[in-house]
Amino acid sequence: MSLEARRFLALHLPDFATDRMHRAESDLRFDEPLAIWVKEGPRRIVVAVNAAAAEAGLRPGQALADVQAIAPSLSLRPADFAGDARMLHRLALWARRFTPLAAVDPPDGLLLDITGCAHLLGGEAGLMQDALARLRRAGFAVRGAVAGAAATAGALARARSDAPIVVNGAEAVNVGPLPLGLALRLDADLALTLARLGMRRVGDLQALSRASLARRFGVELLHRLDAVTGQRREAMHPIQPLPELAVTQDLAEPVVTRAGIEAMLDRLLEALGDKLREAGRGARQVTLLAWRMDGEVQEVAVRAGQPTRTAAHLRYLFRDRLEGLEPGLGFERMALEARATDPMATGLQTVLA
């Protein structure tokens, strides 16, 4: 990572589990109550509700029998945490359209390192609004925030709905008013204990003796406090490592045909070859990424026995792999990533190709 000041975009999907269920089952209506439940010992507990169920007075944590009594027409589905995790991973892959450094923030969020990327969409506000709009069109409720610390952005996205953008160094001031349990992701028992002691906001903890807090509640509470106030940097774990070199192309019109895909691949191969030559390197592994109109991201990867950078050689490697792409309504964005490269002397390629 560079020593450049980092900037992070957090995307919080407050109704993720129910939104995913609506996407999976088209017969479920958004204006009808839906609840997702899990079995805890002998009890069945609600863990998520959609907006219609919330309006009817249902809340996570209620017993299944109670919510059925409140809303007899309620649709019920068992929790599918593995399915949720798979969808969150797919969304993180999709989010790589904005930055190569995208990560899941379980159970219902995404985290993007947008350092140096925002200018491509008119600044941080433009990038965030584009991401929010695309997710909403895909059927997800979503909130966002940008800050210089990942935990700060995440806390703001979970607690605020106004899409705040916080400049580096102002993290502590901006998280001070946030609800403590939500911002620090505290378990319900600890949040209740702190509330009974008069600590309901992040700022309430900031005003207290750190030694006293550590003695009474443990050092983990301080670690979480320091993370959201920007005093402690937490490692981000992107779903894909940063590619060594990459080129990207947004498409004015969706590409559907094999001929169109090949034409776009040719343009990307030429551009990637130029970058490889400038860097004095050859590619050992190259991945083609294609973003579909419906948000699905598809990948095709090739490997070379020796470092390569000529378009003709790489095109030959991709030739039979393109059959695996399924454009559906069309690809709206394509990229090539050189995920493994080696030093390569000028002129060597003519011997290998």
Side-chain angles (χ1 to χ4, degrees):
M1 283 281 185
S2 155
L3 293 179
E4 177 184 8
R6 313 307 297 179
R7 300 292 289 166
F8 297 92
L9 166 61
L11 298 167
H12 173 58
L13 297 91
D15 302 326
F16 178 59
T18 54
D19 286 345
R20 186 184 73 81
M21 198 65 67
H22 279 291
R23 283 170 51 92
E25 300 184 30
S26 58
D27 58 323
L28 288 174
R29 293 168 52 96
F30 279 94
D31 59 352
E32 295 181 351
L34 167 68
I36 295 176
W37 60 273
V38 67
K39 190 172 183 180
E40 293 184 358
R43 304 179 65 212
R44 294 182 178 183
I45 304 297
V46 171
V47 292
V49 299
N50 68 355
E55 290 175 4
L58 309 187
R59 297 289 183 272
Q62 291 178 305
L64 196 60
D66 293 339
V67 298
Q68 288 177 299
I70 296 171
S73 62
L74 176 70
S75 294
L76 293 169
R77 297 292 186 276
D80 178 10
F81 298 123
D84 291 344
R86 287 192 297 271
M87 174 57 76
L88 199 61
H89 183 83
R90 287 173 57 192
L91 289 177
L93 288 173
W94 164 84
R96 294 184 77 242
R97 66 179 298 122
F98 302 108
T99 169
L101 296 176
V104 296
D105 187 17
D108 51 14
L110 301 172
L111 185 62
L112 284 60
D113 184 335
I114 60 170
T115 308
C117 301
H119 68 283
L120 299 173
L121 283 164
E124 293 176 345
L127 189 155
M128 175 164 53
Q129 290 304 322
D130 187 51
L132 295 176
R134 289 176 182 274
L135 284 167
R136 286 166 182 157
R137 286 198 298 270
F140 292 101
V142 59
R143 297 198 294 261
V146 175
T152 305
L156 290 166
R158 290 191 298 277
R160 289 173 55 172
S161 59
D162 59 340
I165 297 177
V166 173
V167 299
N168 287 34
E171 292 86 0
V173 172
N174 280 272
V175 300
L178 301 185
L180 193 54
L182 196 59
L184 271 61
R185 299 186 177 188
L186 303 179
D187 66 63
D189 290 341
L190 178 55
L192 181 59
T193 298
L194 291 169
R196 286 172 174 166
L197 296 172
M199 291 173 277
R200 295 179 173 82
R201 306 282 172 181
V202 174
D204 296 333
L205 284 189
Q206 291 173 286
L208 298 177
S209 161
R210 293 174 60 85
S212 297
L213 286 173
R215 281 196 304 271
R216 181 155 189 182
F217 301 106
V219 71
E220 176 61 24
L221 181 63
L222 289 183
H223 286 169
R224 295 191 184 195
L225 177 63
D226 290 344
V228 300
T229 56
Q231 304 304 307
R232 180 174 183 266
R233 302 291 168 164
E234 294 184 322
M236 179 180 169
H237 302 286
I239 56 168
Q240 294 280 5
L242 185 68
E244 297 185 34
L245 292 168
V247 290
T248 303
Q249 181 68 54
D250 288 307
L251 309 177
E253 296 291 337
V255 171
V256 178
T257 66
R258 172 66 180 261
I261 293 170
E262 290 179 345
M264 183 51 57
L265 175 61
D266 285 345
R267 292 175 60 181
L268 292 170
L269 287 171
E270 293 290 348
L272 183 63
D274 290 343
K275 283 196 170 187
L276 287 165
R277 275 186 290 276
E278 291 172 7
R281 303 188 73 82
R284 297 291 298 269
Q285 179 182 348
V286 178
T287 300
L288 173 67
L289 297 98
W291 282 260
R292 284 199 328 196
M293 293 290 292
D294 62 3
E296 186 76 21
V297 184
Q298 298 181 15
E299 293 189 10
V300 176
V302 298
R303 290 180 177 273
Q306 297 289 337
T308 183
R309 61 185 176 219
T310 64
H313 187 197
L314 288 167
R315 186 184 304 113
Y316 175 80
L317 296 176
F318 273 109
R319 183 184 58 183
D320 297 330
R321 301 296 182 90
L322 297 181
E323 296 293 343
L325 293 176
E326 299 178 358
L329 296 177
F331 295 123
E332 61 173 349
R333 179 184 177 92
M334 297 181 75
L336 273 181
E337 295 183 350
R339 295 184 177 175
T341 69
D342 285 335
M344 183 176 176
T346 302
L348 180 59
Q349 184 64 50
T350 58
V351 178
L352 299 174

